[in-house]
Amino acid sequence: LFCEKQRVESAGDKEKSAMLEYYTLWAHQIKTPIASMRLLLQSEDSPENRELLAELFLIEQYVEMVLSYLRLGSTSNDFVLQKYPLEPIVRQAVRKYAPLFIRKKIRMEMGDLPGEVLTDEKWLCFVVEQILSNSLKYTPKGVITIREEPGKVLVIEDTGIGIAEEDLPRIWEKGFTGLNGRADKKATGLGLYLCRRVLEKLSHRMEITSRVGEGTQVRIFLDTAPDIWQ
């Protein structure tokens, strides 16, 4: 009976590994036609092409989210911890979303970010991108502010629609979309879940406060590693 159980578990592990390999390969392969479509759409500037480029950007973000989800679920360690200045990491994420800021006419205000943090550059950038993506998605007008507070705390604040009080305790759950997500119809409920997983591996943490109709404030604590998430 024990040998049979081991055989079933081994077969299950092999199947899971094969599935991860397949979806990872798929996610990498889909980038080629996406890049080709981007080149074609950029060859002529028109309102229609600008709209299509914006939608293509969203497709790229979903593909990147799939890859990040797969990497976090794999047994290999994709994290490289070093000391990095914070500002270039944040600016890299802001540049990526610059076309959306322009398209939605959302103002960006960035204060000084003098901190140097022990982190993984790629994965921290992924977290900042996810927060900016959410802020842009749920901020129809106004401003998104990025600043650093004492103690290596990165703050990203928006003037968007906010998060319902009853949803706040569940925003880290895998697949939870809340009232905003159900209204948006496109929310995956994976963004903040992945952010939490990444930050746990980096020994960082994140807190979110929000008021409906006023906006949301995200604090990423880059110099602490408590056991309890708030």
Side-chain angles (χ1 to χ4, degrees):
L1 184 62
F2 178 72
C3 291
E4 177 63 17
K5 182 182 177 183
Q6 278 191 317
R7 186 189 67 79
V8 171
E9 287 179 351
S10 177
D13 288 342
K14 286 181 180 178
E15 186 176 345
K16 182 181 178 182
S17 178
M19 185 175 69
L20 282 172
E21 280 186 26
Y22 169 77
Y23 283 116
T24 302
L25 179 62
W26 176 88
H28 280 292
Q29 287 180 328
I30 203 72
K31 288 183 174 184
T32 301
I34 288 174
S36 298
M37 283 189 283
R38 177 170 294 281
L39 285 172
L40 288 169
L41 291 170
Q42 287 175 335
S43 64
E44 181 183 342
D45 185 27
S46 68
E48 293 81 6
N49 280 14
R50 286 195 291 270
E51 287 293 322
L52 288 170
L53 280 168
E55 294 299 321
L56 192 62
F57 178 78
L58 292 178
I59 294 172
E60 288 177 304
Q61 297 314 105
Y62 291 139
V63 171
E64 286 301 324
M65 189 178 290
V66 168
L67 278 171
S68 299
Y69 182 80
L70 293 170
R71 288 187 189 114
L72 283 173
S74 70
T75 55
S76 60
N77 187 355
D78 192 41
F79 291 80
V80 180
L81 294 178
Q82 295 180 24
K83 278 198 170 183
Y84 295 96
L86 180 58
E87 184 172 340
I89 295 176
V90 174
R91 287 195 179 279
Q92 182 180 336
V94 170
R95 280 195 300 270
K96 184 172 184 177
Y97 282 89
L100 274 185
F101 275 98
I102 296 168
R103 184 167 176 261
K104 294 194 69 175
K105 296 181 173 63
I106 302 295
R107 197 167 78 255
M108 158 61 66
E109 292 183 358
M110 190 183 318
D112 291 333
L113 304 172
E116 185 178 62
V117 296
L118 180 64
T119 193
D120 180 289
E121 180 183 27
K122 180 184 72 175
W123 282 106
L124 181 57
C125 187
F126 168 81
V127 170
V128 175
E129 287 175 3
Q130 291 301 309
I131 303 306
L132 284 178
S133 176
N134 281 353
S135 292
L136 284 162
K137 186 185 297 182
Y138 298 116
T139 303
K141 62 179 180 179
V143 59
I144 294 174
T145 306
I146 301 177
R147 65 181 185 277
E148 184 180 344
E149 292 182 346
K152 297 181 183 177
V153 182
L154 178 64
V155 182
I156 302 174
E157 187 173 8
D158 65 56
T159 57
I161 62 176
I163 302 169
E165 186 178 355
E166 62 267 28
D167 285 346
L168 280 171
R170 299 188 60 194
I171 55 177
W172 312 110
E173 294 178 15
K174 180 180 177 181
F176 181 75
T177 58
L179 293 173
N180 292 343
R182 288 191 287 276
D184 179 58
K185 306 296 184 187
K186 297 178 183 177
T188 62
L190 282 179
L192 289 178
Y193 165 76
L194 290 175
C195 286
R196 176 176 180 166
R197 295 251 337 250
V198 169
L199 291 175
E200 283 176 339
K201 287 179 178 287
L202 293 174
S203 292
H204 306 325
R205 70 181 175 103
M206 183 163 65
E207 290 179 358
I208 295 180
T209 56
S210 187
R211 292 180 68 88
V212 172
E214 294 182 17
T216 299
Q217 189 176 82
V218 179
R219 277 184 168 82
I220 305 175
F221 296 80
L222 297 168
D223 204 27
T224 54
D227 296 326
I228 299 174
W229 277 66
Q230 298 186 28

